[in-house]
Amino acid sequence: MRTRLLPLLLVLMAAVLIALGFPLAASLAAAQQQRLIVDRIDDTARFAAIAQYVSASSEPDGTIVVNDGERESTLRSELTRYEDLYGIRVGVFYRDGSTMAVAPRNWLTRRQVVADPSFQEALAGRRSHNPPQVWPWQHSRITVASPIVRDGDVVAVVLTDSPTGAMRSRVLHGWLLIVGGELAATVVAVLAAIRLTAWVLRPVRVLDRAAHDIATGRLASRVAAAGGPPELRRLARSFNEMADNVEAVLEQQRAFVADASHQLRNPLSALLLRIELLSLELPEDHAEIASVREEGKRLATVLDDLLGLATAEHAAANLRLTDIAALAADRVAAWRPAADRAGVGLRHEGAAAATGWADPIALSSALDAVVDNAVKFTPDGAEVVVSVLTGADTVKVVVADGGPGLTEDELARIGDRFWRGSRHQNVDGSGLGLSIARVLLAKGGGTIGYAPNQPHGLRVTLTVPRSEPTA
């Protein structure tokens, strides 16, 4: 969930930073250009003031002749000094495009002057105010024109052509500062997003661990309702209330099963005793009394298994480092007489020594239930093999029988309480043995799995961890 929430926050923050950064960069470039234009307008206004009273007359051939040589000379010297000092080309031109004064010489022809949009705008009495934006990667120049007005008429135009290198350098420097600020803000945003994500998801992780613990049988797990958003704190409190109610209901159910199975044993024992007394008065081969006796024994077995299941679910595991191979060999030796009576071969193979963390009594009981099933369902002359396999993190005890095996549907249901295959209803048992084995293994962090055995039969795998399970 963190890998989905964190990128979402980062994308949103990046979008905000970009949405602020681009307009800020554009505004900076526009401000720098406007500053240059205002400066050029001031310069053109000064030159216009000097050139305003330079008189000129028109010859019959249309040539403009300047009549005031002193003012014209002053204007020329000012323009030349300005161009030498700042590198800005400047000129004063009459309405027809002819030159009053210009620096440097032969800068523009009359046709070029007349074709300039800024010149035409100045002839209409307007100063240049909004030339196209020049960006740092463009090597463009900025032209600014101001009209020279005499007696309400535009008589000439001051035209400047400015280089933009310095302006573009200032814009680029400002952009670098903006990028640096954006990067710093991005780092802060990433750190804030990580902290925010951790703050939001910490209760979720705690809740997930508690739910997993309860699902695996550790019903005492609870969520500390501290930290995180108020909604998640309320969820943690609701989860704890639910866990308390579930634990209470399961405890009542377990206590009921244990009490019922314990209390029913005495009446059942009395009933079996009366059945035995009644059988003394009937013929020895009486079929009904034998069937009643068999059903009574089966009911006693079910009650014993129910009591064992209730005890297994309630008791805490006594985990310690155990030699799993030695324990498996001991249980094989204990079950060999029963296997011999059933005509079934039973042998142990695999690692001679394999240590793992388990409750020896619980693992022995689980292995007894599995071997008992394997011997019961293996036909006469077949074999049951108990193997011990070691891995990097686990130790496995595999019990493979040579019985009829199970179908895929039956494999999906094996281990359910009181479930027995339709083909095995005539075999003694309560259907609780593998359920008890699963509960006993789960107490110590172990598992039990089922798979078909080749060429036929069933493989039951009991797995325990090699390292001590965390609390």
Side-chain angles (χ1 to χ4, degrees), residues 66-275:
V66 177
N67 298 323
D68 194 333
E70 183 179 353
R71 292 181 178 177
E72 188 268 341
S73 177
T74 301
L75 177 62
R76 288 182 183 276
S77 63
E78 288 288 333
L79 296 184
T80 301
R81 190 162 52 248
Y82 181 79
E83 193 270 337
D84 291 339
L85 184 61
Y86 300 110
I88 301 173
R89 294 178 290 196
V90 58
V92 181
F93 303 95
Y94 291 105
R95 291 182 59 91
D96 62 353
S98 60
T99 301
M100 178 187 298
V102 66
R105 285 180 174 274
N106 303 320
W107 168 33
L108 292 174
T109 64
R110 177 183 293 186
R111 179 175 298 178
Q112 290 174 329
V113 172
V114 173
D116 192 297
S118 300
F119 180 82
Q120 296 297 328
E121 187 177 12
L123 289 180
R126 297 188 299 271
R127 291 177 176 176
S128 301
H129 64 282
N130 191 26
Q133 179 67 47
V134 177
W135 302 105
W137 57 85
Q138 294 175 329
H139 297 279
S140 303
R141 302 175 70 90
I142 294 180
T143 301
V144 176
S146 291
I148 300 174
V149 180
R150 184 187 301 167
D151 298 329
D153 296 325
V154 177
V155 296
V157 173
V158 181
L159 196 63
T160 63
D161 182 55
S162 306
T164 58
M167 182 198 74
R168 288 185 285 113
S169 297
R170 291 193 299 270
V171 171
L172 186 59
H173 181 263
W175 282 9
L176 292 176
L177 293 179
I178 292 175
V179 170
E182 292 272 338
L183 291 177
T186 301
V187 172
V188 173
V190 169
L191 295 177
I194 292 175
R195 293 294 301 272
L196 178 62
T197 304
W199 178 71
V200 171
L201 295 183
R202 185 182 300 114
V204 177
R205 289 194 296 268
V206 175
L207 187 64
D208 178 68
R209 286 197 298 269
H212 177 72
D213 290 342
I214 292 176
T216 54
R218 294 186 286 272
L219 299 180
S221 296
R222 294 294 183 272
V223 178
E231 295 80 3
L232 291 180
R233 291 200 295 269
R234 287 197 298 271
L235 178 61
R237 288 192 292 269
S238 301
F239 179 87
N240 289 337
E241 294 174 0
M242 179 197 68
D244 291 337
N245 292 332
V246 169
E247 186 178 16
V249 170
L250 291 179
E251 186 60 33
Q252 293 174 0
Q253 182 187 36
R254 190 182 300 118
F256 171 77
V257 172
D259 293 342
S261 58
H262 185 271
Q263 294 298 326
L264 287 174
R265 293 181 67 180
N266 291 334
L268 181 60
S269 298
L271 180 60
L272 291 176
L273 180 60
R274 284 178 170 79
I275 291 173

